[in-house]
Amino acid sequence: MLISLQLDSETPLYEQLRNQIVIGIATGELAAQEKLPTVRQLADDLGINTMTVNKAYSILKQEGYIVIDRRHGAKVSPRMPEDAEPSAQLEAQLQLIIAQATIQGMDQSRFQMLCSQIFSRMTYRPSNV
Amino acid sequence: MLISLQLDSETPLYEQLRNQIVIGIATGELAAQEKLPTVRQLADDLGINTMTVNKAYSILKQEGYIVIDRRHGAKVSPRMPEDAEPSAQLEAQLQLIIAQATIQGMDQSRFQMLCSQIFSRMTYRPSNV
Amino acid sequence: MLISLQLDSETPLYEQLRNQIVIGIATGELAAQEKLPTVRQLADDLGINTMTVNKAYSILKQEGYIVIDRRHGAKVSPRMPEDAEPSAQLEAQLQLIIAQATIQGMDQSRFQMLCSQIFSRMTYRPSNV
Amino acid sequence: MLISLQLDSETPLYEQLRNQIVIGIATGELAAQEKLPTVRQLADDLGINTMTVNKAYSILKQEGYIVIDRRHGAKVSPRMPEDAEPSAQLEAQLQLIIAQATIQGMDQSRFQMLCSQIFSRMTYRPSNV
DNA sequence: GTGGTCTAGACCACA
DNA sequence: GTGGTCTAGACCACC
């Protein structure tokens, strides 16, 4: 899986990293149970500090996206905790995006189409194990 | 219009303020052409520094959401610059949200329903003037 | 002569007014010796405060562009004080513009062409009186 | 690179700072990719507040002249966004300058010569990286 | 009265 | 050690 960081972005490196891994999981580029690179490996590949990768992994673990096994390193969680209700945070973020889209003149049907396109790339399936 | 800030949030105050005003414009709580509170007034009401409100207003102005008239303070822009294409940034943000929703077990139809609910609260109309 | 002010500009109203009159003189829209509207008249036409027009006129007078006669109001100076040397301020402004143009990728020949176009619209001639 | 601020100028300090850095980039005094002083360092050297330098840097960043890397501070952008068309703003500023020059009695050939002199000092080249 | 600018000093997130 | 954020309080330009 390809990860590209923007060093001059407002978004902190560890958050960019976390986001791209989340997207990777959702699109299926990272399958459930798949092993992630070691902290040192990934830090080397990206040319960043190991602390930064470490922080990204910690957050992903704390959010339940990955599990960290001392012996085998990090891997994608076999299945995620399903929230019955959409998290309040997700809804707030979505509301802000929709507000901006509305003001820019994008109507609901075009927005829904855009969502459909994005959804079609999401092939996440929890592990059978 | 009610604005509530979380002092302990990661999101800077000026950004929270900016976001809530954007949403206020989109939902119609702040009509096009409507006058915003003065920098001092709002700072006072929210119990924060004038510079913080100032920064929020500056960003909103630079983004085209509001107009600052030397004579009468700030007001909502009569009409916004319509982007023909959805900005790349909007799409990236949306992709991240959808990725997270997918992993949480929300399927496309529930997501679309959530969008519909939010859209139904957006009543922004550009000014006729 | 048409004057249009941007109320939401960074540039103060009195300065916009001053600038447009200077350009009007240079392009010949305002001939040497031509009478300017009264302060009150102009303020009314533009829908702004008389103080603002007053300030613009004061500056123009102090810079030598216009003369103010208590009996006949303001008129364009018959001839301007010719500076042997380009004023330092003009040179500094020009340098900044050229710097920005250079960085944007505009080369000297295109810049010169732009200057020529603008010069061709300048038909200022001092009065013969 | 030498920077000198006029404390008694109408032009805000942060804008003077911004202007001088832009000129520095265009003249090549600040090479593409070159590291700028830290906010604190520069504030100290100039005897002004860090926020003021901060604001100048923010503007330069937003305009694309510099890039801020979380790890190593600010540096000159490797290459600038080239505008195919001269911005309307540039043209308006140039028109005002030419108007003033005309009225002061400077003819086109002398103006062009002045431009040539200034251009000869501009040695900006985008980075090869 | 409005927003714009600046200061001195502080704390925090990031790497 | 870097930039980012925030505060309290001040002064100024503009209208």
Side-chain angles (χ1 to χ4, degrees), chain A residues 18 80 84 100 110 112, chain B residues 18 80 84 100 103 110 112:
Chain A
R18 176 259 177 206
M80 309 297 170
Q100 289 170 151
R110 274 185 62 213
Q112 298 285 36
Chain B
R18 177 259 177 207
M80 310 296 172
Q100 288 170 150
I103 298 177
R110 275 186 62 213
Q112 297 287 35

Side-chain angles (χ1 to χ4, degrees), chain A residues 18-19 22 26 65 80 82-84 86 93 95-97 99-100 103-104 106 108 110-112 116 119, chain B residues 18-19 22-23 26 65 80 82-84 86 93 96-97 99-100 103-104 106 108 110-112 116 119:
Chain A
R18 176 259 177 206
N19 289 346
V22 168
Y65 289 111
M80 309 297 170
E82 299 197 3
D83 287 350
Q93 287 172 349
Q95 185 189 26
L96 182 58
I97 288 182
Q100 289 170 151
I103 297 176
Q104 275 171 27
M106 178 184 268
Q108 185 170 354
R110 274 185 62 213
F111 188 83
Q112 298 285 36
S116 292
F119 259 109
Chain B
R18 177 259 177 207
N19 289 345
V22 168
I23 291 176
Y65 289 112
M80 310 296 172
E82 300 200 1
D83 285 351
Q93 287 171 350
L96 182 58
I97 289 183
Q100 288 170 150
I103 298 177
Q104 275 171 29
M106 178 183 268
Q108 185 168 355
R110 275 186 62 213
F111 188 84
Q112 297 287 35
S116 290
F119 259 108

Side-chain angles (χ1 to χ4, degrees), chain C residues 18 80 84 100 103 110 112, chain D residues 18 84 100 103 110 112:
Chain C
R18 176 258 177 207
M80 309 297 171
Q100 288 170 151
I103 297 178
R110 276 185 61 212
Q112 297 286 35
Chain D
R18 177 259 177 208
Q100 288 169 152
I103 298 176
R110 273 186 64 213
Q112 298 286 37

Side-chain angles (χ1 to χ4, degrees), chain C residues 3 21 30 35-43 45 53 57 73-74:
Chain C
I3 290 180
I21 292 176
L30 291 170
K35 197 173 171 312
L36 295 174
T38 67
V39 170
R40 184 163 310 184
Q41 176 74 49
L42 190 48
D45 287 356
V53 179
Y57 276 19

Side-chain angles (χ1 to χ4, degrees), chain B residues 5-120:
Chain B
L5 302 178
Q6 285 181 287
L7 297 176
D8 59 341
S9 162
E10 306 254 298
T11 319
L13 295 178
Y14 73 85
E15 198 175 331
Q16 294 183 45
L17 193 46
R18 177 259 177 207
N19 289 345
Q20 298 203 27
I21 292 177
V22 168
I23 291 176
I25 294 174
T27 59
E29 281 182 275
L30 292 170
Q33 301 272 33
E34 183 166 339
K35 196 175 173 315
L36 295 174
T38 69
V39 171
R40 281 189 250 271
Q41 179 71 52
L42 191 49
D44 236 42
D45 288 357
L46 298 174
I48 60 177
N49 194 283
T50 56
M51 295 261 322
T52 308
V53 179
N54 201 335
K55 181 155 188 177
Y57 277 21
S58 299
I59 292 174
L60 287 164
K61 172 187 163 195
Q62 189 243 317
E63 293 178 326
Y65 289 112
I66 67 174
V67 161
I68 293 179
D69 178 333
R70 270 211 162 73
R71 300 175 305 173
H72 308 104
K75 63 181 176 52
V76 178
S77 283
R79 48 188 61 252
M80 310 296 172
E82 300 200 1
D83 285 351
E85 289 306 308
S87 77
Q89 200 196 3
L90 183 147
E91 193 168 340
Q93 287 171 350
L94 191 54
Q95 184 189 27
L96 182 58
I97 289 183
I98 291 179
Q100 288 170 150
T102 300
I103 298 177
Q104 275 171 29
M106 178 183 268
D107 65 10
Q108 185 168 355
S109 68
R110 275 186 62 213
F111 188 84
Q112 297 287 35
M113 225 159 62
L114 182 57
C115 287
S116 290
Q117 275 175 32
I118 296 174
F119 259 108
S120 69

